[in-house]
Amino acid sequence: MVGGGAALVALVVAAGLVVADDGPADIAVPYGCGSGGAHGTAGTSSTPDGPAPDRTAPDGVADFDGDGHPDLALGSMGDVPGGYGGGSIEVAYGAGDGTRIARCQYLTQDDAGIPGKNRDEAFFGTDVVARDLDGDGYTDLAASVFDWKPSVIIMWGSESGLSRAVRVPGTDVSHVSWDNDPILDEQLAAGDFDGDGHSDLVFGLGSDKGLLKGPFGRDGTPAATDRVPAPRRPAPDVDTANYSDLVAGDLDGDGSDDLVSFHDADTGPEVPWREATQPVSYLRGGRDGFTQPEGTRIPDAGEGAIGDVDGDGVDDLVLSPRGGDASRSSVTVAYGSEAGPGERTTTIDRDTPGVPGDEPQDEDAAFVTLDTGDVNGDGYADVVAGAPRWDVYGKPGPEQVLFLAGGPDGLSGAGARLFDGDDLGAAPGGDADFGSAVGLTDLDGDGHADLVVTAPGSDTVDGVAYLLRGTADGLSDTGVTRLSGDTFDDTEGLGLLMGGGEVAH
Ligand SMILES: [Ca+2]
Ligand SMILES: [Ca+2]
Ligand SMILES: [Ca+2]
Ligand SMILES: [Ca+2]
């Protein structure tokens, strides 16, 4: 803090009381991990319009405190004291030294700086995305919440980390017309959908105001709003089709990010795998708003991620296929091109040369989380896919994360590796939910993306997030960093929380 900081802080706090109606206080500042309870008050907060950070982390990497070391945030939709399903966010500030974490922050709506109030089923932080939303050089964190109605809360990055928060005003809560569950619908995506160089948010498919354009004001107001079309009804006989995920990236290489949504069509209880209908919708971003190109063919899938797997400069869509003849443990890449995704596809399954393990027979072996990032540093995006087992009817199989490498010809089995939760110390028997969320981000800036994998646990098993280092040979399972509830706070019961929502990085 420079000289005169105290006066400056006093001024800023006073100004903040006027500006931010529903989050007047500062968020409790980050603290030394594992020390729990040592939450300071906000005496060292930087100014809302303070100086830009001196050092910047690489593009596309979250750095909430602007110290040049990448950070990450784990959305945890689980219980918090006083809120069954209240939700929390665990923020880990990178030390720039392997996967070591320098500081921690535990965010709930009980924090005086976070708008709203922790309560049952608020699901604060179920979905989190990290972007610089106001263009001040500090990465900000946006989170979805269901405070009786769905809305978005932005936590602003600053020299002292995430320090202030606002609720985006006037969030429209209209939904896809053939949908009936507003809670499940509140998925958040970040990208530059109009190609103007500012990060935007999407919150609400089929909403006239679902596209929230950046830069955002400090009171949370977007620069403008625009409509997000409702995806086409997947089939005439489908009554409802909640969307389970939204991902963003530039799949046609035109400089505007596109939006892909994943739908779980309700075609009846306990539909056999072959008859499952999980359509994928593609909305093309552009200067003049979203359009729905005719004829884009994307295979049914339950989950996706976006990255340039074949290194041709255009993002590719990575999918976890569902239904029909698809393997229960496979990854399909719908390569991006000027015409959009899906002109060419590759599928990797357990029969692909180089891929370890046998084809599982249980349906819950399917990958439910995916991410992309360049782990081995060869310039091609690599893929991780997580398969937690949560089938309560049978004996669950191993909970695993599969690593697949990209290359000039796209995704292949060469260099593939399987990580078992058991081998990393996760509770066996399907209770850990190892692989519930995965993220690839270069935590120490050495050019190799590192793996974040969460095992949110259960009523009896504490949640843990594992951080595995990326190397030229892929992911390493030596020197693994483990983050548990106690890492963030030693409040009784918090140990059962960790991850389960998205990983923002
Ligand atoms: Ca940082
Ligand atoms: Ca910012
Ligand atoms: Ca590509
Ligand atoms: Ca690579």
Side-chain angles (χ1 to χ4, degrees), residues 159-420:
E159 186 182 2
S160 56
L162 297 173
S163 62
R164 298 191 68 85
V166 292
R167 193 191 303 272
V168 175
T171 308
D172 188 61
V173 292
S174 57
H175 302 291
V176 177
S177 56
W178 33 268
D179 169 75
N180 66 0
D181 192 334
I183 296 178
L184 291 176
D185 263 357
E186 297 326 315
Q187 296 280 328
L188 196 53
D192 182 9
F193 300 105
D194 58 3
D196 69 351
H198 298 291
S199 290
D200 314 308
L201 296 174
V202 163
F203 190 65
L205 287 186
S207 159
D208 285 343
K209 297 192 293 182
L211 173 58
L212 307 165
K213 294 192 187 191
F216 288 73
R218 275 281 162 164
D219 62 353
T221 307
T225 61
D226 201 354
R227 71 184 286 265
V228 181
R232 295 192 181 89
R233 185 181 287 267
D237 61 336
V238 172
D239 291 331
T240 65
N242 292 318
Y243 60 101
S244 54
D245 201 13
L246 282 179
V247 297
D250 188 5
L251 293 165
D252 59 2
D254 70 348
S256 297
D257 284 329
D258 312 311
L259 190 65
V260 179
S261 58
F262 296 82
H263 300 267
D264 187 4
D266 181 9
T267 46
E270 296 180 33
V271 179
W273 174 272
R274 291 191 62 80
E275 294 160 29
T277 306
Q278 296 201 236
V280 180
S281 171
Y282 172 63
L283 294 175
R284 182 177 187 169
R287 287 265 169 196
D288 300 320
F290 284 109
T291 53
Q292 284 179 291
E294 296 284 346
T296 306
R297 289 188 310 279
I298 300 174
D300 273 21
E303 188 77 22
I306 292 177
D308 189 4
V309 174
D310 61 359
D312 67 350
V314 181
D315 282 345
D316 308 309
L317 177 61
V318 182
L319 302 164
S320 170
R322 294 287 193 281
D325 295 328
S327 156
R328 287 173 169 79
S329 181
S330 59
V331 174
T332 291
V333 182
Y335 294 97
S337 72
E338 258 180 57
E343 298 271 286
R344 184 168 70 90
T345 63
T346 298
T347 294
I348 307 293
D349 62 24
R350 296 297 179 95
D351 293 331
T352 304
V355 179
D358 298 323
E359 169 77 11
Q361 297 306 308
D362 47 333
E363 294 184 3
D364 73 333
F367 297 114
V368 302
T369 52
L370 290 166
D371 201 15
T372 66
D374 187 6
V375 173
N376 54 16
D378 62 358
Y380 302 96
D382 309 311
V383 172
V384 286
R389 306 291 180 111
W390 42 278
D391 188 343
V392 296
Y393 301 108
K395 182 174 157 47
E399 302 191 318
Q400 296 175 325
V401 171
L402 177 64
F403 167 82
L404 297 170
D409 299 321
L411 203 63
S412 75
R417 194 162 165 204
L418 205 50
F419 295 88
D420 260 45

Side-chain angles (χ1 to χ4, degrees), residues 132-140 156-157:
D132 182 6
L133 294 168
D134 61 352
D136 70 349
Y138 293 97
T139 307
D140 312 305
W156 300 114

Side-chain angles (χ1 to χ4, degrees), residues 5 33-34 59 66 73 149-150 183 216 286 318 321 344 356 435 441 461 482 496:
C33 302
D59 282 350
K149 65 178 188 177
I183 296 178
F216 288 73
V318 182
R344 184 168 70 90
T441 182
V461 174
R482 296 169 89 257
L496 293 172

